[in-house]
Amino acid sequence: MLFRSVGSLPGRALAQQKPDAPPPARQVKPPAAKGVNWGAWGGDPGAQKYSTLADINRDNVGGLKLAWTWDANEKPVAAGDGQKSARPGQFQATPLAINDTLIFSTPYNRVIAMEAMTGKEYWAFDPEPWKGYGQPSNGTGLVHRGVATWTDGKERRVFINSRWRLFALDAKTGKPIPAFGAGGEVDLTAGLSRSIRKEHYTNTSPPLVWGNLVILGNGVGDRLQYRGDPPGDIQAFDVKTGKRVWRFKTVPEAGEFGNDTWKDDSWKYVGHTNAWAPLSADDARGIIYVPVGTPSNDWYGGERKGAGLFGESVVALDAKTGKRIWHFQIAHHGLWDYDPPTAPVTATVTVAGKRRDIVMQATKQGFLFVFDRVTGKPIWPIEERPVPQSSVPGEESSPTQPFPTKPAPFSPQGFTADDVTDFTPEIKAAALETIKSLRLGPLYTPPSLEGTVVRPGVIGGAGWGGVAVDRETGWAYVKASHNPELMAIAARSDKSDTVDAPYVLDGTRRSLAVRVPGAGGGRGATLPLVKPPYGTLTAIDLNSGETKWTIPLGDSPDVRNHPALAGLKLPEKLGVVGSPGAMVTKGGLVFLTGGGRVLYAIDARTGEYKWEYDLGQVAYSNPMTFRSKGGKQYVVIATGAGTTSKLMAFALP
């Protein structure tokens, strides 16, 4: 505030003033509140999921109210002549907020722009990704988690990676920009390592914009297991022309670094090894962080022997050239579908008295790997430890796996008979009966012919929602799921155009649910195999690597209301299984659902529940927040699935 000296007051005013009173306070109009955007899927290029806003804080969040809702109104597509059926899946998008406009993708990959304060739609773009081919081979229906934007200060472009196409849209109109690629779109499969079936190539996570480049990976359904299936090349395109600038091959070819980690020339035909999760960046340094997934097939590696770089690795690339700077493989020769599920997250913290720029990768295993952002050197030691070996014919599992010494795991790892649910003696007996013929053991016990109980399961540990970081405290917040998975391997003699492997995951043996007898000894409903909590939220101090607190996150009404548990005293929160993650704000709050139907605001320092709102349906998405130019902060979250997909916004009255 600027001050200026004031001369003598007029005589009349002076006469009315008491001799010993201070001069009257000058009325100064407070500065107008400035709008605050949410400019990327993770809030910023480093995917921190942090907001500087504190208008909504731990003291007033109890007054948060529903401000508006918006319905996607998407319907299933029926099969017909030249058309396979398709359906919209979960509404998993995190909207962007830019200058009072929300921009996001729907399950059907439509891009919507709307007035951020009311939900009034401005325009919509429909790429019709279901047209002809129906839905991707992922078993989930069509899903998409968001868009990216670019601006030079004069114009803004919106990018959506819809299956095998990348579109550039005019942010004012929503129309494709003709000068980008061919009529506003680029075929992402045109320059891959080999020709592929386009219907098997997809995208669910938003692209990443760095400088004048739009950079992205791709998705390939786990159920696709054949030689020559789509590769996971990372590609960068010019934001104006759509011309490809560089490509990084996640399965290195002959003569390239890492090719010798693929035995028997398996690099020639192995696919997947793809970054289906979001990418992130050190924007100033021009480093892109890529979470590379599992090579095919996810559970049997007898046809891809060796460590298999860059499968299940964090890879740092030069944003300008796509050249590898460093990498770290978080699981060697993966057999558990433990692909990194989320974007690596950047932060700056103080470790042993020294400021460090770090990048961290949360994993399905329940680990948080933390590295120097530039060199890739671990902040705390990572040890190679012996792990159980596979008994499946032809398999050569890795003798060791990497274990971080800090932070401690944020999810239970491995499974023994002591871990089964024990609400009552009868329920415990049923649980023990469920696992009596299965293989049990510590983390990295491999899938087996008899069936292995693997914990964490394929959802995690951490899911695609990832880690939120408080920039001021250096604390990280990670949602975890604790459910196990049955991984039973079966020999396969018959082949198809989508599955051609000697051993596959047995789809008939997947359930680990405990069947509790119903009334009169009939077939009753099931319960989870493990004790609660089924999901947690953990706060980790990245300055020290120490866990600050862990709380059960959310609830599981299907368990709480189970007839076999009637009359039992249950924990206040049973926890919820799910992949979505958190957002943290300067107001001292962590917002998330964790995959349930209730949106929570939790005290970032203590883990205390401060506010909750039943959304009426599951919200399988990460929330975001922004402040309008008019000075009001909103919290927005996508909810529902299929025909019920709905965007919901909250604000203080």
Side-chain angles (χ1 to χ4, degrees), residues 382-648:
I382 299 174
E383 300 175 348
E384 286 286 333
R385 298 176 186 172
V387 293
Q389 295 299 287
S390 176
S391 57
V392 176
E395 183 62 85
E396 292 183 6
S397 52
S398 176
T400 64
Q401 294 290 352
F403 287 74
T405 56
K406 274 189 174 185
F410 53 79
S411 185
Q413 297 174 327
F415 195 86
T416 73
D418 293 335
D419 295 319
V420 301
T421 184
D422 58 356
F423 287 118
T424 68
E426 293 77 16
I427 291 172
K428 181 177 181 179
L432 292 172
E433 180 69 18
T434 299
I435 64 170
K436 69 178 182 180
S437 61
L438 303 177
R439 183 177 180 182
L440 312 180
L443 182 68
Y444 293 120
T445 300
S448 58
L449 295 176
E450 66 268 32
T452 301
V453 180
V454 173
R455 186 165 69 156
V458 297
I459 292 180
W464 52 256
V467 178
V469 175
D470 188 323
R471 292 179 195 160
E472 295 195 355
T473 63
W475 286 21
Y477 302 88
V478 57
K479 161 64 172 53
S481 300
H482 303 327
N483 57 320
E485 189 90 12
L486 176 56
M487 295 188 180
I489 302 297
R492 184 182 177 96
S493 56
D494 56 324
K495 300 179 181 180
S496 72
D497 64 344
T498 57
V499 179
D500 179 9
Y503 289 91
V504 297
L505 193 69
D506 188 347
T508 67
R509 292 193 292 160
R510 297 301 302 275
S511 176
L512 281 173
V514 178
R515 181 70 65 180
V516 181
R523 185 178 178 85
T526 60
L527 285 169
L529 178 66
V530 296
K531 304 180 182 76
Y534 309 120
T536 54
L537 179 67
T538 296
I540 299 170
D541 185 348
L542 295 169
N543 303 284
S544 64
E546 300 298 328
T547 298
K548 304 304 292 187
W549 50 257
T550 295
I551 61 169
L553 192 281
D555 203 26
S556 296
D558 54 334
V559 176
R560 184 171 299 281
N561 300 322
H562 194 287
L565 306 184
L568 295 182
K569 183 175 176 57
L570 301 178
E572 182 179 352
K573 291 284 192 295
L574 293 170
V576 64
V577 171
S579 296
M583 165 189 73
V584 61
T585 72
K586 189 175 181 179
L589 296 170
V590 181
F591 288 91
L592 78 166
T593 69
R597 57 182 282 159
V598 178
L599 178 60
Y600 298 103
I602 293 168
D603 191 306
R605 274 292 187 182
T606 65
E608 177 187 359
Y609 282 84
K610 304 295 289 186
W611 172 85
E612 60 184 67
Y613 186 94
D614 190 331
L615 300 163
Q617 56 187 357
V618 166
Y620 216 78
S621 63
N622 283 12
M624 54 78 72
T625 190
F626 70 96
R627 183 166 64 199
S628 69
K629 293 178 182 178
K632 183 180 284 290
Q633 182 183 353
Y634 294 81
V635 175
V636 181
I637 189 164
T639 74
T643 60
T644 70
S645 296
K646 179 183 295 186
L647 203 63
M648 303 178 72

Side-chain angles (χ1 to χ4, degrees), residues 190-514:
L192 297 178
S193 303
R194 54 177 173 265
S195 60
I196 60 122
R197 295 170 60 179
K198 288 185 177 181
E199 70 269 28
H200 292 168
Y201 188 101
T202 194
N203 278 278
T204 54
S205 295
L208 174 74
V209 169
W210 180 86
N212 287 332
L213 297 177
V214 55
I215 306 168
L216 68 164
N218 69 290
V220 186
D222 291 343
R223 61 182 62 189
L224 301 173
Q225 300 166 26
Y226 60 91
R227 294 193 175 204
D229 53 3
D233 298 353
I234 309 302
Q235 302 184 83
F237 299 88
D238 185 281
V239 295
K240 292 187 176 181
T241 67
K243 180 181 179 181
R244 193 172 73 183
V245 176
W246 56 257
R247 172 172 67 111
F248 175 78
K249 288 169 280 188
T250 57
V251 176
E253 297 178 354
E256 297 177 338
F257 180 90
N259 176 262
D260 59 349
T261 64
W262 298 86
K263 293 185 178 181
D264 306 323
D265 288 339
S266 57
W267 60 270
K268 293 181 177 179
Y269 54 78
V270 168
H272 292 61
T273 324
N274 55 299
W276 60 267
L279 313 183
S280 58
D282 181 323
D283 201 38
R285 292 187 174 96
I287 303 175
I288 304 299
Y289 302 104
V290 182
V292 183
T294 311
S296 56
N297 80 50
D298 290 59
W299 305 277
Y300 177 73
E303 293 189 313
R304 53 169 175 85
K305 296 174 182 176
L309 289 177
F310 294 94
E312 299 196 4
S313 299
V314 180
V315 183
L317 303 178
D318 185 315
K320 294 180 180 179
T321 65
K323 302 294 185 183
R324 182 187 64 90
I325 299 173
W326 59 264
H327 76 278
F328 187 91
Q329 191 171 51
I330 64 170
H332 313 312
H333 187 77
L335 300 173
W336 304 268
D337 195 14
Y338 277 163
D339 42 7
T342 189
V345 178
T346 64
T348 300
V349 295
T350 302
V351 180
K354 182 179 179 182
R355 293 295 281 174
R356 301 292 301 272
D357 288 341
I358 64 173
V359 61
M360 70 202 83
Q361 179 68 63
T363 73
K364 292 182 179 179
Q365 294 96 306
F367 287 132
L368 190 63
F369 288 87
V370 187
F371 308 98
D372 182 282
R373 207 186 299 177
V374 178
T375 67
K377 182 179 179 180
I379 297 298
W380 296 285
I382 299 174
E383 300 175 348
E384 286 286 333
R385 298 176 186 172
V387 293
Q389 295 299 287
S390 176
S391 57
V392 176
E395 183 62 85
E396 292 183 6
S397 52
S398 176
T400 64
Q401 294 290 352
F403 287 74
T405 56
K406 274 189 174 185
F410 53 79
S411 185
Q413 297 174 327
F415 195 86
T416 73
D418 293 335
D419 295 319
V420 301
T421 184
D422 58 356
F423 287 118
T424 68
E426 293 77 16
I427 291 172
K428 181 177 181 179
L432 292 172
E433 180 69 18
T434 299
I435 64 170
K436 69 178 182 180
S437 61
L438 303 177
R439 183 177 180 182
L440 312 180
L443 182 68
Y444 293 120
T445 300
S448 58
L449 295 176
E450 66 268 32
T452 301
V453 180
V454 173
R455 186 165 69 156
V458 297
I459 292 180
W464 52 256
V467 178
V469 175
D470 188 323
R471 292 179 195 160
E472 295 195 355
T473 63
W475 286 21
Y477 302 88
V478 57
K479 161 64 172 53
S481 300
H482 303 327
N483 57 320
E485 189 90 12
L486 176 56
M487 295 188 180
I489 302 297
R492 184 182 177 96
S493 56
D494 56 324
K495 300 179 181 180
S496 72
D497 64 344
T498 57
V499 179
D500 179 9
Y503 289 91
V504 297
L505 193 69
D506 188 347
T508 67
R509 292 193 292 160
R510 297 301 302 275
S511 176
L512 281 173
V514 178

